[in-house]
Structure formats: structure tokens, C-alpha cells
Amino acid sequence: MIRTDVLIIGGGPAGLGAAIETTNRGLKTLLVEENPIYGGQLIKQTHKFFGSHSHFAGTRGIYIQDELLKEIKKEHFSMLPGHSAVGIYDDGVIGIYDSEKNRFKKVSAKKVIVATGASEKTIPFKNNDLPGIYGAGGVQTLMNVYGVLPGKKILMIGAGNIGLIVSYQLIQAGADVVGIVEALPKAGGYDVHLAKIRRMGVPVFFKHTIVEAFGQDSVEGALIVQIDNRWKHLNGTQMQLECDTICLAVGLTPSSEILMQTGIKMTFSPSLGGYVPVHNEFMQTSSTDYFVAGDAAGIGEATSAIIEGRLAGISASASLGKEKNAEKVYKEHVDYIEKLRDGNTGIKVKKGKYELWNKPWDTSMETFEKKDNTIKIPKGRTKAYVSIECYEDIPCNPCEISCHFKAITVGPNITDLPMLDLDKCTGCMSCLTQCPGLAIFGINKDLAPGRTGITIPYELLPLPEKGDTVWGADRDGKIICSARVEAVRKNKNKTHLITISVENEYAENVRHFYPGASGDVLICRCLDITADEINDALDRGYTDFEELKRYLRVTTGPCQGRGCRQLIMNMIRAKTGEDVSSHSTGTPRPPESALPFSAFTKGGKK
Amino acid sequence: MKAAADVGIIGGGIIGSAIGYYLTKMGLKDIVLFEKDYLTSGCTGRCGGGIRQQWSTSDNVKLAKRSVELFEKYEDELDFDFEYIQQGYLILAFTDDEVRDFKKNVAMQKKHGLKVDLISPRQAKKIVPFLNTNDVLAATYCPTDGLANPFLTTFGYAERASEAGMTILRKTRVNSIERKGGSYRIRTDKGDCTVKYIVNAAGPWAQEAAKMIGYDIPVEPERHQILVTEPLERMVGPMVVDFYNGFYGSQEKRGGFVMGESDPSEPASYKTSSHWKFVESISKKFTYLFPRFSNVKILRQWAGSYCVSPDAQPILGPISADDPNYFLAVGYSGHGFMLAPATGEAIAEWIVKGKPLTTDISHLTMERIEKGDFSQEHNVV
Amino acid sequence: MRIAKHPILDFKKQKRIPFYYNGEKIFGMTGDTIASALHDNGIMVYRVTDKSRKRGFFCAIGKCSSCMMKVDGIPNIKTCVTELKTGMHIECQKGKGSYK
Ligand SMILES: Cc1cc2nc3c(=O)[nH]c(=O)nc-3n(C[C@H](O)[C@H](O)[C@H](O)COP(=O)(O)OP(=O)(O)OC[C@H]3O[C@@H](n4cnc5c(N)ncnc54)[C@H](O)[C@@H]3O)c2cc1C
Ligand SMILES: Cc1cc2nc3c(=O)[nH]c(=O)nc-3n(C[C@H](O)[C@H](O)[C@H](O)COP(=O)(O)OP(=O)(O)OC[C@H]3O[C@@H](n4cnc5c(N)ncnc54)[C@H](O)[C@@H]3O)c2cc1C
Ligand code: SF4
Ligand code: SF4
Ligand code: FES
């Protein structure tokens, strides 16, 4: 048994940040990192970082870990590279696996800091498991760590920061990026990253989406299609792109399965990217023995990961009596992290964290570039109303005219923004069918417990049917949850009204839906289980996650459900309409990754 | 919730579902099954799926043998692929004492018509080519023993029973029971239901359900740990049991090796957490028996609670003469899956036809325990 | 496809090492994982699942199990995190894998 004061799991920026604080307070600290190299995501980031100068801005990611290592007090520190934490058992012992020697070892620690980072999301499209379709992280690892190009002609999916950065890195490494496909009309990533790519001649297919990958043994091409601002696949715009690699940069999700084994509280937060351990501002989880930091505590960026790591280190030290002035020390870091999260991209994280801490959130804190015709919806409002999402001063006022209850005012100056008088709005939804911009959505919080009805003006074929399970998409057209079709109201003017229901937490973001996933869309990669098979099981009545798991074995493959748990929970929610927060999401069990018996036997004597 | 029904079953594990299935099959359809969480959430959801007839008591042999007759028909009867394979159980003897006991057992089992033999280590190696038989003195082998998937079997029973009219209430915990004239009122958070018969099939929680009408029954929950490996092509047919070291292991139909052990130091508790000592200890046992598989990878370990009775045999039938309509189907002591068909049939017969007809379970009632007149089942892992 | 020259990164000079893919001798570099070496040789299909779907690597960090192959007789090895060693025998894995 290895004994230590503090065990840190994960040697990315968060883990290294934590080690700085604990070692400088004289605590014996052990850091395990599953890779042979430290730095987590940093080791792949060849670009310069943003942020404040005092926090490594302008430094390339690949050099930051060295800077961090310098600040760690070596006499109190030991590191085990190539060791992964594989289990936290009921007596608190942490099992670690030495992959080089094939040995299982045990660690007893007073405090554990989990900084295990994130794993990548995927999206459903036809043949999404064909060789040659890689996650952005996989592509980066292959090219920046091993120096092997993933392919010659790359199609990138997603123009967020990661998609843009990895495209740039691919070009730097000598590949040809045949295009970037982005559903939005504009890039989610920073303009500068985009400009960089653009001036190198990479076409960016805004308002496009990928429909299918094709190829015999591996990717030979992709079918993409243009979508209009109503998300309709535009006929005749289908385009085949020749490529040998499709790189998915569609987001990350926190990876803290190992903490789930301890039974600490978890919560689902769309703003933070998925399931995260409930934690306070100083990174302590619901147990005083476990702390969490970095992407594992909600997807953010490297600078805030370092600071969260430091906070976790200070908290852990304080709980061991090694920091008497914790409150004062916290403050500097907390203030900085708040500032970091004020930007357009950080604000989402800030919101997620505020929700976690039950801190009041004022929507005015969200710095969208929009004029202010937003209205505050009183908390208790259950009656249906509309959300008018028309922020540009265009000459237009059918909404005003269409409302028989005089709830919408544009006024004499018809470029003024429409204003809603909530008290007068009856929720009749007639304005939805009249707005030429399809910019008005119905909101009904009283539809079913825990679920919000969203009425969407819809002009696509085929129309869904009541009871269908569909994918709920956000304003960027990104699928964020499943939804259920609650009502289909056809209209003479062909703007039909479709009411879908989603869990309350998605209500603010879902503004579109895609037909339900089916056919060759892989949900559980490990066991080859498709959306169709899951839908069949749901139809047969296996709508409890645990029953579904035992019926189809989904989530029981070697990935322990990392890839599919969230998708499946969404499908259940959509099918049953129930709040599934009471369902167990399945307890991840040790070992974290499959280990051979020989690792446990030390020679194999009876 | 239905205000009244003929039968209320407490527990949606393999036992509650089997009883529900046989009741509906015998024509009694007004049944409500109460399950506090989801189907298979108890012991059944943690089960290894072994089906063995080689027991040391006559009663267990009879029940298991009848169960196998029923399992053999289920694929059609339940219209469900429950992953049944009949490739035997191979039980290894490492000491002279074991060889002597095994001889006695085989003689008794043969009397009940079981096809079972005491075989040599060489024969054992033929049946399981990868087995290390160096220290094995002898083994017993019964080819009709086997494996199946307990979750799917439960779902099969439940699907057919609910088609026939049984109501399944998930996430509905029975909180208390009141006597009401000759009936019982079952109280739950979601409402009450008055029933003529109650079946306590609450598995590890059986004692709590008995306390609800004032009985203290001698069963206890006890944690048992188990693990599964990565799925591989099937290479080992039978379940291999080693009582000497307290090990059992098999390769399920989908290819994963499933194995567990007995830990005599395990205290009574509802704990289902995992311990590193288990995986260390079982790794040694498994790689000793199967050196060729020392690089097979462990996918996941977990645990469940056995519901243990004093003689390691189930307690069946009315809870007492005063409450003849409150039935127990509890205390399966780690072999409830394999006994579910025969005991489900027997309890259903008892309720519908007044007494069990197919299998004699008269030695397995509460009476034996009250009188202290029972024979201990020894062949338990 | 090795990256020959990189504007930011310096890849250290590595030694070529031989290994076997489905019995055929090919070369990787010291420091490679099995997956990166195969990819360099243009091999992208690492296994074929029970349902006949072809799989290559996906996450490249040992989390998704997409890249499992038979390595020196042992099935289900995650090749994206397994270091390449001289003389290794790598096989495209069919189905679940076996020790037979
Ligand atoms: C393409 C890309 C570009 C980015 N660009 C920027 C940028 O420009 N600026 C910026 O600020 N941020 C950027 N980021 C984000 C930033 O890299 C991450 O937010 C940051 O690395 C998170 O740090 P972390 O320590 O939480 O996790 P990670 O860096 O992911 O580190 C986690 C570590 O834990 C290890 N680990 C996981 N599980 C175990 C286990 N069980 N046992 C042992 N070890 C384990 C992993 O191997 C890993 O090394 C980018 C991210 C990506 C993917
Ligand atoms: C690790 C392990 C391996 C095993 N291997 C084998 C094997 O190989 N072969 C074999 O035959 N057997 C095996 N068993 C034993 C077998 O699993 C059990 O004997 C069998 O599942 C018992 O079924 P049951 O229906 O009685 O109990 P359970 O499955 O526990 O069902 C009882 C149900 O009652 C519900 N319940 C309890 N109280 C209430 C209440 N008040 N209100 C509502 N619902 C309630 C519970 O939620 C539970 O779902 C194994 C057990 C374990 C733990
Ligand atoms: S929903 Fe009806 S009442 Fe409300 S603004 Fe629209 S038209 Fe007016
Ligand atoms: S009709 Fe639609 S687009 Fe026009 S002002 Fe009203 S809400 Fe805006
Ligand atoms: S590619 Fe995901 S585990 Fe290897």
C-alpha cells in the first residue's frame, strides 16, 4: 500500500495546478497520470494561448506544463506517469494500474483530487463508426504527439475553437483541409482563429451539416447538405466531398466516472457539458475527502483549469489543517476566474457553475449582442407564452398584427423591435404562424412535471407525428437532447406548429428538432448497438435505465458508458416524458479500464 | 392504483416474476406485483446465472431438476432468448474428504435420476481443455447443468405475465401491511391495495417485509462479490466450481467470463460496494485454474446480497398457521435463480390449487426451522 | 504518412523498428503506439465487429475501445495506447477475439 497525504489523479493543467498548492504547503503529494507524458490536453496544443499575461497568455500550450512543473516543490512530490487510477473501493483505497509493468497497486490517501479531464462527444450520422472518422483529440494526438498524419484530405465538422484550431494544426502538419462544415451561419470559435484558416483558403461551409460518411474499408468521402435558417435540408445542395478523414470537433464532456464510484453527488449540467460532480466554489465535492478540478468539473479552458486545480489544492490543504487563511487565498483565484469567464464563450461555464452553487443568475450577465427587447419571465409563470427572438431592427410587424390580444407591440416605427406584454399573452400561438422570420417560439412550462413544451413553427417535410422521439437542437442546430413530439397543428399557410417537450433544463436552448435517429446510427460503439435497437427496447417497455442496460447491455462495454450514457438517458427521457432524475444512471464500477488478471496476481501462486 | 386484487407480490426479482408468471398461467390473473425500484434491481440484477442440479440435499436436487425441465422449454414458452446454454457444471475435488463427500452426493443425486458422474482429472481436462488439473483428485460432472441470463429470464416472465393481466408497479415500495378481516391491505407511497394473498419475494429485504405483519424470519442479507471479463469467443463450456478455494466461474453465452467466490468472513449487511481484496483474491484463484487466461481482462466488478437462511435452502409456503395466506418465497441463499422455475410453480400451485403438486416442498416450510429439524446444504459458494 | 517537417514541433529522430501485421513484416518507429505505426503504413481497419462493422481508432487516448486488436496472441488490446515493440505480431481482430 502506497501512503500519501494527497493523491492527484490526472496530470493535465488542473492536476499540476493542484500539486503546486499542496506541495508548497508541505503535504506529501502523489500524482498519477495515465499517459507516459504529463500535460493532458496541453501536450497537443501547438498554438499560443489567450488570457492574461500573468497566466501564460502568449505561451504555446506545449510549454505550459514545464512552467507548472517548475513551481511544484519537488521534495514533497512524487509522480507516477503511465499509471491510471482504476477504482475507488469501499474502504477508500484507490487502485492504480501500472501499464508498463502490468501491476495493480493500492494507494491510501487522506485527500483525493480528481483532475481527469474530458472525453469527446460524437454526433449521430450515417456510418459514423467507419474507420477514418476520428475525434479531434485523436487527430491531435496522432499528429502532434506521434507525428503521424491522420490523412491527406480532411473534412472538419465543427467551427468552434477546437475545430478551427485543429484545422490550422492539420495544415501546419501538411494535410489538406477540404472544408469545415458548420451548421451555424457563423463560427462559434474566435474570429481570429477563423481568419487564420480562411486566409489559407479553407472553405467553411456555414449552414451545412454532414449527412453520411461513405467508403468501403475506410472513409472515401462525405455527403454534406446545406440547411436554411429554418434548418431545412435544401434540395439540390447535397454535395459529395472527397476526403479520407472526417474529424469531429463537436464538443467535450466531463470525464469523472471514477468519482461516481464513491457515491458522491453528481448532477447533469448542459452548460458544463454533461454529468459533473456537485462541487463548491473551492472545488470540494459533496464529500470532504474528494475534490475535483478542470474539465472534469465542467468543460472550460486551460487557464481556468489551472486555477481550479490550485483552488482544489488549497481546499484539500485547508481540510488537512495546512492552510489557516484559506478564505483570503481563495479570493485572488476566485476573482480571476470570474473575470476569465466573462467573455462570450466563458459565460456559459459561469452560468453552469452559478447554478451549481445556487448563486443568483441574472440573464443580463449573458453578454449577447442583442438589443434589449427581452423581458423577464416571472419564476412562477406556468401559463404558455411566447419567446420573441427578433433582435435586429428590420422593417417588419406581422407579429403585432397577428395578435388578437394586443400582446405584441412594434409601434409606429416598424423597424423597432417587437415588445411582448406578458400579462396580455394568452399563449394562443397565432403569432408563431405569422412571423416571416420564424422567430417566435411558444413556451409552456406547465406541460408535464419537469418538462417544458416548446412550440416551433415548422416548414419542413416530413411532418413528425405525435409521440415521435426526435432530437432537440439548440440555436446552433446542435443536438443537445432528445425530445418528444406532443402536438402537431397543421396550418393552411403551411407554417405548421409542432410542440415538442424537453426537460426543463434544455428549455432555454432548444429551438429546433431533427427527426429521430434511426438505422445505422451507432449509439453504443462498444457493443454495436444502434438507435433502432434502443428504440425497439423502449417500445417494449424497457424504459428504466437499469432495465434497459440489462436488456440490451448498453453501457456495459469496455468504455463503461462514456460514449453513450448521455445519449441513452436522453432517449429514455424523450420516450417516457418522465423526469428520469430518479433513475439510477448506472454506477460505474471498478476497474475504470479493463485490466488483465495477471496485474493482480504478482506471480500467480495459489 | 388498483384498490383490490387477489394476490399481491412483493418483489420484482426472478422469484416474484416467476410466481406471477405461474399464477397467470394457472388462470389467476388479478395480481399486482410491487417493486420498490426496477425489475431485477435486487439480487437478481447481480446474479451469475448458474443452473446446477448437483446439490447435497435431496430437496435442492429435486427443485433444481424440476427447474431444468422447465428451463429447457422456456425459449418457446416465454418466447424469449434468455441465453440458455446447457454445457454442464464441473465440480472439482482437491482433498480426500471432498472425494468421499462427492461420492455420497453422486449416489444420492443418481437416485433422483440425475445424469451425473464422478470423473477423473483426465476426463475433466477433456471437458475443459484449458483447466489446470495438476492438484485435482477427482471431479463430478453433470452435462444438463448450465447457464442462462437471469435478467432476460425475469423480463421474459414479466412480459408474459403482464400480457396475461398481471399489473407491475415499479418504483412502488410496500411500506406496511395491515390485516383487514381475512385480507391484507398493502400500503405504498402511491396508494393502497387490498389483497387476499401476499407473496413475500423480497429477496434480501424479506425480513423487513415479514416484520410488516409482525414476524421475525431467520434470513439475513450477505454481500457476495462477482466480476465479468471482456467478451471473448466461447472457449469454456461448463461452469467450474472449486469448493475448496471457494470459487465458481463460467463463460456466459455472450462470451464474458463471470466468476465469484465465497468469503466466510463477510458479515451480514445490505452493502453492495466493491472491494479490492476480492479482485486480488479471485485473480489468483482463476489464473491458478486457468493459467492460459491470465491476460484476459477484467471489465467490471460488482456485488449483490444473498438472502441467507439457516440451512442454505429456501423457505417456502405460509409464514405461519395464523397467516395461511401470507406466503414466503425467500432465503434462497445464493441459488434463487436456478430454483425459480420449480419454486415459482410450487407456490403458484399452493395458492391456486391449495397445495403444491408437482414438486414436494413439504420439508422447506417455516416448520423445519422452528423445530430445528433440517439438513444443511453444504455445496454452496 | 509521417510528418516530415513541422513549423512548431521538432520530432526527435527515431529508429525504424520491424513488426508484423497479419504475418507481413512492416516498419514503425520507436515511440510509436501500435495504432500510430499502423496508420503510418496506411492500415486503418483494426478490427471487424461481430456485426461485421469495420473499426479503426477513434479517440486515440484509450477511452473508447474502438481500436482493439490481437497483439502477440492476446485479443482486445487497445492499440492506441500500447507502445510498439520490435517484432510484435499484430492481427486484425475478428469478432470478440479468442485465446484458442
Ligand atoms: C483542440 C483543443 C484546443 C484547446 N485550446 C485551448 C486554448 O487555446 N486555450 C485554453 O485555455 N484552453 C484550450 N483548450 C482546453 C484545455 O486544453 C482544457 O480545458 C484543459 O486541458 C483542461 O485541463 P484538465 O487538467 O482539466 O484536463 P486534461 O488536460 O484533459 O488532463 C487530464 C489528464 O488526466 C489524465 N487521466 C484521465 N483519467 C485518468 C485516470 N483514471 N488515471 C490517471 N490519469 C488520468 C489524462 O491522461 C490527462 O492527462 C483546448 C482543448 C482542445 C481539445
Ligand atoms: C453475486 C451473486 C451471484 C449469484 N449467482 C447465482 C447463480 O449462479 N445461480 C443462482 O441460481 N443464483 C445465484 N445468485 C442468487 C440469486 O441471484 C438470488 O437467489 C435470486 O436472484 C433471488 O431472487 P429474488 O427474486 O428472491 O430476490 P431479488 O432479486 O432481490 O428480488 C427482490 C425484489 O424485491 C424488491 N423489494 C424488496 N422489498 C420490497 C418492498 N418492501 N416493496 C417493494 N419491493 C421490494 C427488491 O427491490 C427486489 O427487486 C447469485 C447472487 C449473487 C449476489
Ligand atoms: S401567443 Fe397569442 S396572445 Fe401571445 S403574443 Fe402570440 S398571438 Fe398574442
Ligand atoms: S414578425 Fe417576426 S421577424 Fe417580424 S418583427 Fe415580428 S417577430 Fe420580428
Ligand atoms: S481509439 Fe479509443 S481506445 Fe483506442
Side-chain angles (χ1 to χ4, degrees), chain A residues 134-150:
Chain A
Y134 305 138
V139 163
Q140 275 196 311
T141 307
L142 194 68
M143 99 185 141
N144 294 348
V145 180
Y146 298 108
V148 172
L149 260 188

PDB file of all heavy atoms in Angstrom, chain A residues 134-150:
ATOM      1  N   TYR A 134     -12.544  10.379 -36.922  1.00  0.00           N
ATOM      2  CA  TYR A 134     -11.828  10.472 -35.669  1.00  0.00           C
ATOM      3  C   TYR A 134     -12.280  11.681 -34.874  1.00  0.00           C
ATOM      4  O   TYR A 134     -12.696  12.693 -35.440  1.00  0.00           O
ATOM      5  CB  TYR A 134     -10.329  10.597 -35.922  1.00  0.00           C
ATOM      6  CG  TYR A 134      -9.750   9.488 -36.775  1.00  0.00           C
ATOM      7  CD1 TYR A 134      -8.827   9.770 -37.771  1.00  0.00           C
ATOM      8  CD2 TYR A 134     -10.133   8.164 -36.569  1.00  0.00           C
ATOM      9  CE1 TYR A 134      -8.287   8.762 -38.554  1.00  0.00           C
ATOM     10  CE2 TYR A 134      -9.597   7.151 -37.355  1.00  0.00           C
ATOM     11  CZ  TYR A 134      -8.676   7.455 -38.340  1.00  0.00           C
ATOM     12  OH  TYR A 134      -8.157   6.460 -39.109  1.00  0.00           O
ATOM     13  N   GLY A 135     -12.137  11.583 -33.580  1.00  0.00           N
ATOM     14  CA  GLY A 135     -12.351  12.730 -32.719  1.00  0.00           C
ATOM     15  C   GLY A 135     -11.203  13.717 -32.913  1.00  0.00           C
ATOM     16  O   GLY A 135     -10.088  13.330 -33.284  1.00  0.00           O
ATOM     17  N   ALA A 136     -11.489  14.981 -32.644  1.00  0.00           N
ATOM     18  CA  ALA A 136     -10.459  15.999 -32.829  1.00  0.00           C
ATOM     19  C   ALA A 136      -9.257  15.721 -31.934  1.00  0.00           C
ATOM     20  O   ALA A 136      -8.108  15.920 -32.326  1.00  0.00           O
ATOM     21  CB  ALA A 136     -11.031  17.382 -32.532  1.00  0.00           C
ATOM     22  N   GLY A 137      -9.528  15.232 -30.737  1.00  0.00           N
ATOM     23  CA  GLY A 137      -8.440  14.922 -29.815  1.00  0.00           C
ATOM     24  C   GLY A 137      -7.572  13.802 -30.370  1.00  0.00           C
ATOM     25  O   GLY A 137      -6.349  13.831 -30.271  1.00  0.00           O
ATOM     26  N   GLY A 138      -8.222  12.803 -30.966  1.00  0.00           N
ATOM     27  CA  GLY A 138      -7.490  11.682 -31.550  1.00  0.00           C
ATOM     28  C   GLY A 138      -6.578  12.160 -32.660  1.00  0.00           C
ATOM     29  O   GLY A 138      -5.411  11.760 -32.755  1.00  0.00           O
ATOM     30  N   VAL A 139      -7.093  13.029 -33.501  1.00  0.00           N
ATOM     31  CA  VAL A 139      -6.310  13.574 -34.605  1.00  0.00           C
ATOM     32  C   VAL A 139      -5.103  14.345 -34.065  1.00  0.00           C
ATOM     33  O   VAL A 139      -3.974  14.179 -34.541  1.00  0.00           O
ATOM     34  CB  VAL A 139      -7.207  14.488 -35.477  1.00  0.00           C
ATOM     35  CG1 VAL A 139      -6.375  15.384 -36.375  1.00  0.00           C
ATOM     36  CG2 VAL A 139      -8.162  13.637 -36.293  1.00  0.00           C
ATOM     37  N   GLN A 140      -5.359  15.146 -33.033  1.00  0.00           N
ATOM     38  CA  GLN A 140      -4.256  15.927 -32.455  1.00  0.00           C
ATOM     39  C   GLN A 140      -3.184  15.038 -31.865  1.00  0.00           C
ATOM     40  O   GLN A 140      -1.998  15.291 -32.006  1.00  0.00           O
ATOM     41  CB  GLN A 140      -4.797  16.804 -31.336  1.00  0.00           C
ATOM     42  CG  GLN A 140      -5.348  18.104 -31.804  1.00  0.00           C
ATOM     43  CD  GLN A 140      -5.482  19.040 -30.623  1.00  0.00           C
ATOM     44  OE1 GLN A 140      -6.024  18.660 -29.592  1.00  0.00           O
ATOM     45  NE2 GLN A 140      -4.974  20.234 -30.765  1.00  0.00           N
ATOM     46  N   THR A 141      -3.632  13.988 -31.169  1.00  0.00           N
ATOM     47  CA  THR A 141      -2.673  13.084 -30.549  1.00  0.00           C
ATOM     48  C   THR A 141      -1.805  12.437 -31.614  1.00  0.00           C
ATOM     49  O   THR A 141      -0.579  12.428 -31.526  1.00  0.00           O
ATOM     50  CB  THR A 141      -3.411  11.983 -29.764  1.00  0.00           C
ATOM     51  OG1 THR A 141      -4.318  12.620 -28.868  1.00  0.00           O
ATOM     52  CG2 THR A 141      -2.445  11.117 -28.990  1.00  0.00           C
ATOM     53  N   LEU A 142      -2.467  11.901 -32.620  1.00  0.00           N
ATOM     54  CA  LEU A 142      -1.739  11.203 -33.665  1.00  0.00           C
ATOM     55  C   LEU A 142      -0.714  12.134 -34.310  1.00  0.00           C
ATOM     56  O   LEU A 142       0.441  11.771 -34.504  1.00  0.00           O
ATOM     57  CB  LEU A 142      -2.743  10.700 -34.719  1.00  0.00           C
ATOM     58  CG  LEU A 142      -2.206   9.684 -35.709  1.00  0.00           C
ATOM     59  CD1 LEU A 142      -1.914   8.372 -34.999  1.00  0.00           C
ATOM     60  CD2 LEU A 142      -3.224   9.438 -36.827  1.00  0.00           C
ATOM     61  N   MET A 143      -1.123  13.363 -34.593  1.00  0.00           N
ATOM     62  CA  MET A 143      -0.214  14.198 -35.375  1.00  0.00           C
ATOM     63  C   MET A 143       0.783  14.970 -34.511  1.00  0.00           C
ATOM     64  O   MET A 143       1.935  15.074 -34.872  1.00  0.00           O
ATOM     65  CB  MET A 143      -1.021  15.098 -36.314  1.00  0.00           C
ATOM     66  CG  MET A 143      -1.256  16.494 -35.904  1.00  0.00           C
ATOM     67  SD  MET A 143      -2.342  17.283 -37.092  1.00  0.00           S
ATOM     68  CE  MET A 143      -3.323  18.225 -35.939  1.00  0.00           C
ATOM     69  N   ASN A 144       0.342  15.467 -33.360  1.00  0.00           N
ATOM     70  CA  ASN A 144       1.252  16.306 -32.579  1.00  0.00           C
ATOM     71  C   ASN A 144       2.076  15.530 -31.573  1.00  0.00           C
ATOM     72  O   ASN A 144       3.082  16.011 -31.086  1.00  0.00           O
ATOM     73  CB  ASN A 144       0.491  17.422 -31.866  1.00  0.00           C
ATOM     74  CG  ASN A 144      -0.104  18.417 -32.854  1.00  0.00           C
ATOM     75  OD1 ASN A 144       0.240  18.388 -34.029  1.00  0.00           O
ATOM     76  ND2 ASN A 144      -0.982  19.264 -32.384  1.00  0.00           N
ATOM     77  N   VAL A 145       1.611  14.341 -31.207  1.00  0.00           N
ATOM     78  CA  VAL A 145       2.394  13.547 -30.271  1.00  0.00           C
ATOM     79  C   VAL A 145       3.209  12.489 -31.014  1.00  0.00           C
ATOM     80  O   VAL A 145       4.381  12.308 -30.744  1.00  0.00           O
ATOM     81  CB  VAL A 145       1.490  12.903 -29.198  1.00  0.00           C
ATOM     82  CG1 VAL A 145       2.325  12.080 -28.231  1.00  0.00           C
ATOM     83  CG2 VAL A 145       0.697  13.970 -28.448  1.00  0.00           C
ATOM     84  N   TYR A 146       2.565  11.810 -31.972  1.00  0.00           N
ATOM     85  CA  TYR A 146       3.272  10.728 -32.653  1.00  0.00           C
ATOM     86  C   TYR A 146       3.808  11.114 -34.019  1.00  0.00           C
ATOM     87  O   TYR A 146       4.504  10.328 -34.658  1.00  0.00           O
ATOM     88  CB  TYR A 146       2.366   9.495 -32.766  1.00  0.00           C
ATOM     89  CG  TYR A 146       1.999   8.983 -31.398  1.00  0.00           C
ATOM     90  CD1 TYR A 146       0.727   9.144 -30.896  1.00  0.00           C
ATOM     91  CD2 TYR A 146       2.970   8.394 -30.584  1.00  0.00           C
ATOM     92  CE1 TYR A 146       0.404   8.712 -29.618  1.00  0.00           C
ATOM     93  CE2 TYR A 146       2.671   7.969 -29.312  1.00  0.00           C
ATOM     94  CZ  TYR A 146       1.382   8.129 -28.825  1.00  0.00           C
ATOM     95  OH  TYR A 146       1.088   7.712 -27.575  1.00  0.00           O
ATOM     96  N   GLY A 147       3.449  12.317 -34.461  1.00  0.00           N
ATOM     97  CA  GLY A 147       3.992  12.772 -35.730  1.00  0.00           C
ATOM     98  C   GLY A 147       3.476  12.019 -36.929  1.00  0.00           C
ATOM     99  O   GLY A 147       4.165  11.926 -37.940  1.00  0.00           O
ATOM    100  N   VAL A 148       2.283  11.462 -36.820  1.00  0.00           N
ATOM    101  CA  VAL A 148       1.697  10.760 -37.965  1.00  0.00           C
ATOM    102  C   VAL A 148       0.468  11.535 -38.415  1.00  0.00           C
ATOM    103  O   VAL A 148      -0.375  11.889 -37.608  1.00  0.00           O
ATOM    104  CB  VAL A 148       1.311   9.316 -37.583  1.00  0.00           C
ATOM    105  CG1 VAL A 148       0.522   8.648 -38.711  1.00  0.00           C
ATOM    106  CG2 VAL A 148       2.550   8.499 -37.256  1.00  0.00           C
ATOM    107  N   LEU A 149       0.392  11.773 -39.702  1.00  0.00           N
ATOM    108  CA  LEU A 149      -0.774  12.485 -40.222  1.00  0.00           C
ATOM    109  C   LEU A 149      -1.974  11.552 -40.284  1.00  0.00           C
ATOM    110  O   LEU A 149      -1.849  10.428 -40.768  1.00  0.00           O
ATOM    111  CB  LEU A 149      -0.477  12.975 -41.641  1.00  0.00           C
ATOM    112  CG  LEU A 149      -0.076  14.430 -41.809  1.00  0.00           C
ATOM    113  CD1 LEU A 149      -0.013  14.748 -43.297  1.00  0.00           C
ATOM    114  CD2 LEU A 149      -1.055  15.356 -41.121  1.00  0.00           C
ATOM    115  N   PRO A 150      -3.117  11.976 -39.850  1.00  0.00           N
ATOM    116  CA  PRO A 150      -4.294  11.100 -39.895  1.00  0.00           C
ATOM    117  C   PRO A 150      -4.755  10.834 -41.322  1.00  0.00           C
ATOM    118  O   PRO A 150      -5.385   9.817 -41.592  1.00  0.00           O
ATOM    119  CB  PRO A 150      -5.354  11.879 -39.126  1.00  0.00           C
ATOM    120  CG  PRO A 150      -4.889  13.296 -39.116  1.00  0.00           C
ATOM    121  CD  PRO A 150      -3.397  13.256 -39.188  1.00  0.00           C
TER     122      PRO A 150
END
